[in-house]
Amino acid sequence: MKYINCQDAAKLLFEHRLNKLSINELPNNLIPTNEKDAYLIQEELKLLYLSLKDNISIGKKVGCTSIDGQKQLDIDEPFYGNLYSRFYGIDIDELSSKKFNKPFIEPEIALRVKDDIDISKAPYSIENINTLFDGFVCALEIVDFRFDKNLKEIGALNLIATNGASEYWIRNSEIFDLSSINFENHPVNITFDQKIVGQGNTNSVMGNPLNSALWLINKMAKKGETLLKGQFISTGTCTKAHELMPNSKISADFGEYGKVEFLYK
């Protein structure tokens, strides 16, 4: 069995993250070869993130929640990463391109955890939604890739290891009631400089963003992990990912639930 030094892999990825640098590939002895090792690297990376001043975990992101995305990476389920307060904004006005390498933007529905989740009661189902969550927000996730390769060449394991490729998370301030939206059919658009560049729907996220959140909770419960009151689950993109270009006004339009927008300088 190949031994992976997860701590060294995490340190290397963390240094590249802080310095906004990319790499072609990890050294051979640091490349994850299975899901377990990939998540172990992510956990080591999480410890390094949490060592930063004024940084706490604010929840999780779920990635690759569409069938097309999973086919592209040759996987049969999503993956997850962590959201952090140092890389997070509410109703921001602008964001500097100097913070990123090659970023893409994804509009997402995020659910807020109602109370600390009792994983002893897992698996949870759709009937448990109102006991698990007390509202949703509209959000944008910025994903960025440490590797100078296309997505298929990077592969799911490297994406998992690099925190699910999550770099920054933005949400609006208003918390909406779960019953106010039809999660199975709500359109979402992305505009750059007032021009629509992407059209999507909440049903692109595993048919319903609630399914994504349930998948995450049950996946974590099997590993003995939980989520805490007030944390968020960003459930996956409602459109295709769109590459950010400097000096653009970015907007995700969630219809009656408002827009999440900022100037990307």
Side-chain angles (χ1 to χ4, degrees):
M1 181 180 293
K2 182 180 177 182
Y3 172 74
I4 301 295
N5 191 321
C6 296
Q7 288 184 330
D8 284 354
K11 288 177 182 177
L12 180 61
L13 293 171
F14 186 63
E15 290 169 0
H16 280 72
R17 168 65 177 89
L18 293 185
N19 293 304
K20 291 86 177 175
L21 299 174
S22 59
I23 56 177
N24 186 48
E25 62 184 16
L26 289 166
N28 187 57
N29 67 319
L30 303 183
I31 299 174
T33 56
N34 55 63
E35 183 183 289
K36 180 181 178 181
D37 284 344
Y39 277 116
L40 285 174
I41 293 172
Q42 186 188 116
E43 284 302 305
E44 293 293 338
L45 188 61
K46 181 178 181 180
L47 295 176
L48 294 172
Y49 271 96
L50 293 177
S51 71
L52 296 173
K53 184 179 179 181
D54 299 325
N55 191 37
I56 62 172
S57 172
I58 58 171
K60 299 278 185 181
K61 61 76 54 91
V62 186
C64 215
T65 51
S66 71
I67 293 175
D68 288 343
Q70 291 175 19
K71 284 182 179 178
Q72 185 178 11
L73 291 175
D74 195 25
I75 56 179
D76 57 10
E77 69 172 5
F79 53 75
Y80 65 82
N82 299 283
L83 302 175
Y84 298 104
S85 60
R86 276 280 294 267
F87 307 100
Y88 160 64
I90 303 175
D91 292 332
I92 67 173
D93 294 319
E94 61 182 51
L95 192 61
S96 172
S97 60
K98 295 179 181 179
K99 293 178 178 288
F100 307 99
N101 176 41
K102 190 176 181 182
F104 289 74
I105 197 161
E106 301 179 343
E108 311 200 355
I109 293 292
L111 303 171
R112 188 173 67 177
V113 176
K114 186 174 183 178
D115 293 299
D116 296 358
I117 294 175
D118 183 356
I119 59 173
S120 70
K121 295 181 179 179
Y124 288 97
S125 66
I126 201 76
E127 288 74 24
N128 306 121
I129 288 299
N130 288 323
T131 63
L132 294 170
F133 307 107
D134 63 2
F136 76 92
V137 297
C138 303
L140 284 172
E141 183 188 13
I142 298 178
V143 296
D144 203 353
F145 304 109
R146 298 273 69 81
F147 299 91
D148 290 321
K149 297 180 177 181
N150 64 48
L151 198 59
K152 189 171 183 63
E153 289 178 318
I154 295 172
L157 298 182
N158 280 324
L159 292 175
I160 292 170
T162 54
N163 193 39
S166 185
E167 297 287 288
Y168 203 85
W169 191 64
I170 305 163
R171 71 171 177 89
N172 59 16
S173 56
E174 187 169 359
I175 308 291
F176 297 100
D177 189 270
L178 297 176
S179 64
S180 71
I181 186 173
N182 178 7
F183 283 120
E184 294 182 347
N185 183 21
H186 187 79
V188 179
N189 294 330
I190 285 283
T191 64
F192 287 6
D193 297 321
Q194 299 183 330
K195 178 181 179 181
I196 294 178
V197 297
Q199 296 177 294
N201 196 290
T202 51
N203 59 29
S204 297
V205 185
M206 298 180 71
N208 182 331
L210 299 176
N211 293 330
S212 170
L214 289 167
W215 172 86
L216 174 69
I217 290 169
N218 292 329
K219 176 85 170 180
M220 292 180 61
K222 289 179 181 179
K223 301 169 71 173
E225 300 178 40
T226 189
L227 285 117
L228 305 177
K229 179 178 180 177
Q231 290 188 319
F232 289 91
I233 299 175
S234 202
T235 56
T237 186
C238 300
T239 70
K240 291 182 179 180
H242 292 273
E243 186 173 0
L244 287 177
M245 303 302 292
N247 302 311
S248 300
K249 178 74 177 210
I250 311 300
S251 178
D253 188 346
F254 291 82
E256 63 192 275
Y257 304 99
K259 299 179 181 180
V260 184
E261 52 190 2
F262 65 94
L263 177 63
Y264 187 63
K265 299 183 69 176

